[in-house]
Amino acid sequence: MIFDPRVETMPRSELEALKLERLKHIVRYCYENVPFYHKRFDSIGLKPEHIRTLADVRLIPPTTKADLRDNYPFGLFAVPREKVVRIHASSGTTGKPTVVGYTKNDLDMWAGVMARIICAAGVNESDIAQISFGYGLFTGALGLHYGLERVGAAVVPASSGNSEKQLMLMKDFGVTTLIATPTYAMYLGELAAELGYKPGDFKLRIGLFGSEGCTTELRAKIEQRLGLFATDNYGMSELIGPGVSGECEYRCGLHFAEDHFLPEIVDPETLEAKNEGEEGELIVTTLTKEAMPLLRYRTRDLTRITTEPCKCGRTHARMEKVMGRSD
């Protein structure tokens, strides 16, 4: 179930058909269950049946972070509050936080796409994974936690901070996989050297890093200090959390979970579609979320996408690491 060749190596023609089927469903689902989308569609004369091809998604006005804040806290939920079993939110450093909800099916899907990325990076049931993200409203820690458990790895929910204890646990437990921000991983490597730890004291082999950008130079330094193979993953709370895309062992782009998330690259000024391989802003439509589906969400992240098959055999589109922000 974790590596599913039937889905992950699906021929592009079949994948496009699956995406279109799910797009049509989610558009109608949003229209019928989210007043915000119903009003927005009606205001421009758009009906769900007007979405006949994948390109027709561009008929839908983009959803923005401002829309989420304007409908704070639960105005974009598509299910009754009683069906929501988890609520996360962004840090909310400026104004109200953006709130997201999950049904049981959403959590199951989330664990599945996380497990897919974790498996692609090389983690398996023999690994011991230490999560050094902060637990709480932030989606990163619990997203990785349930994905790692789905893979079968043993999870050490260390959370963030208390760095000397983090290193002690890493050594004593024989931790093989580290989950952290790149900068915190670098700090742990520097602290380990200061405290007299030797590279041979740790059994680390894989790093699953995210929540912030990581340059090639920083990644190389982390790998040298901690003696591991570092991979990057991408996501955001509004879409699901981590799990939207992630690197495989070849690290030649982040594999998009296209069966659950429909990506577009557009010009950030005009919102016109960019050609494959051109840089632009990433817009994402959630294809399978129940509690809070989003149509054409403007991530404001700048990247480019290719559909060329990867050496690993996976056929889903790959995105480059985020190059900057359109805002």
Side-chain angles (χ1 to χ4, degrees):
M1 181 171 181
I2 296 159
F3 174 62
D4 186 353
R6 183 184 57 84
V7 173
E8 295 187 63
T9 65
M10 183 181 291
R12 289 296 307 176
S13 59
E14 293 180 25
L15 184 56
E16 299 293 306
L18 175 63
K19 289 192 297 181
L20 179 57
E21 176 188 340
R22 290 182 170 179
L23 175 64
K24 290 178 178 179
H25 167 78
I26 205 67
V27 167
R28 182 167 294 281
Y29 178 79
C30 287
Y31 183 75
E32 294 176 351
N33 294 283
V34 184
F36 166 79
Y37 283 121
H38 193 103
K39 291 176 185 175
R40 176 165 281 189
F41 275 42
D42 284 354
S43 71
I44 60 172
L46 183 64
K47 297 295 181 184
E49 54 267 27
H50 293 157
I51 307 301
R52 301 184 182 93
T53 70
L54 286 174
D56 288 340
V57 73
R58 297 173 201 145
L59 299 173
I60 303 170
T63 306
T64 67
K65 182 166 283 192
D67 294 326
L68 272 66
R69 287 180 171 151
D70 289 345
N71 288 277
Y72 174 91
F74 306 144
L76 288 182
F77 285 8
V79 297
R81 223 293 304 139
E82 294 74 18
K83 295 290 186 183
V84 176
V85 298
R86 175 91 65 77
I87 296 171
H88 280 283
S90 69
S91 57
T93 51
T94 56
K96 295 282 189 180
T98 51
V99 176
V100 290
Y102 303 79
T103 64
K104 289 181 180 179
N105 287 337
D106 289 335
L107 291 181
D108 183 66
M109 181 272 281
W110 191 14
V113 293
M114 274 308 328
R116 185 185 297 183
I117 289 169
I118 289 163
C119 179
V123 179
N124 58 51
E125 66 275 3
S126 66
D127 282 295
I128 300 174
Q130 184 163 318
I131 299 178
S132 297
F133 278 144
Y135 280 73
L137 289 175
F138 169 60
T139 53
L142 285 168
L144 270 295
H145 186 122
Y146 284 97
L148 287 159
E149 287 188 341
R150 179 71 64 89
V151 170
V155 178
V156 182
S159 197
S160 57
N162 204 347
S163 301
E164 291 191 20
K165 187 174 183 180
Q166 297 260 6
L167 293 169
M168 180 191 74
L169 296 178
M170 211 178 293
K171 176 180 180 292
D172 295 347
F173 290 1
V175 169
T176 58
T177 302
L178 175 64
I179 293 88
T181 63
T183 49
Y184 190 59
M186 185 65 188
Y187 173 71
L188 287 175
E190 293 171 344
L191 181 62
E194 289 176 15
L195 296 176
Y197 285 102
K198 301 177 181 62
D201 290 335
F202 301 108
K203 295 183 179 178
L204 290 170
R205 67 182 195 90
I206 293 176
L208 295 167
F209 302 136
S211 187
E212 64 185 25
C214 182
T215 64
T216 303
E217 293 76 19
L218 177 58
R219 177 155 71 180
K221 289 179 181 178
I222 295 170
E223 291 181 326
Q224 182 180 22
R225 285 191 178 273
L226 292 175
L228 49 71
F229 178 78
T231 65
D232 203 2
N233 59 78
Y234 174 82
M236 55 179 52
S237 298
E238 299 93 314
L239 299 176
I240 191 72
V244 176
S245 65
E247 290 181 308
C248 68
E249 67 271 24
Y250 291 101
R251 297 194 304 197
C252 54
L254 286 73
H255 292 274
F256 231 88
E258 279 192 277
D259 49 328
H260 297 288
F261 305 99
L262 175 65
E264 303 172 62
I265 299 293
V266 302
D267 183 297
E269 300 297 328
T270 66
L271 298 185
E272 291 295 317
K274 290 280 196 174
N275 293 323
E276 180 170 331
E278 291 184 328
E279 179 183 336
E281 181 182 330
L282 176 66
I283 287 182
V284 179
T285 295
T286 64
L287 295 176
T288 58
K289 277 183 69 181
E290 291 181 338
M292 201 182 95
L294 292 179
L295 302 179
R296 303 197 73 216
Y297 184 69
R298 291 193 67 174
T299 68
R300 298 290 184 174
D301 288 327
L302 298 175
T303 183
R304 56 172 60 95
I305 283 181
T306 178
T307 58
E308 288 294 316
C310 180
K311 288 182 284 187
C312 72
R314 293 175 177 86
T315 54
H316 291 220
R318 286 171 288 135
M319 59 177 277
E320 279 195 24
K321 287 183 176 224
V322 173
M323 305 166 187
R325 299 276 297 170
S326 65
D327 56 356

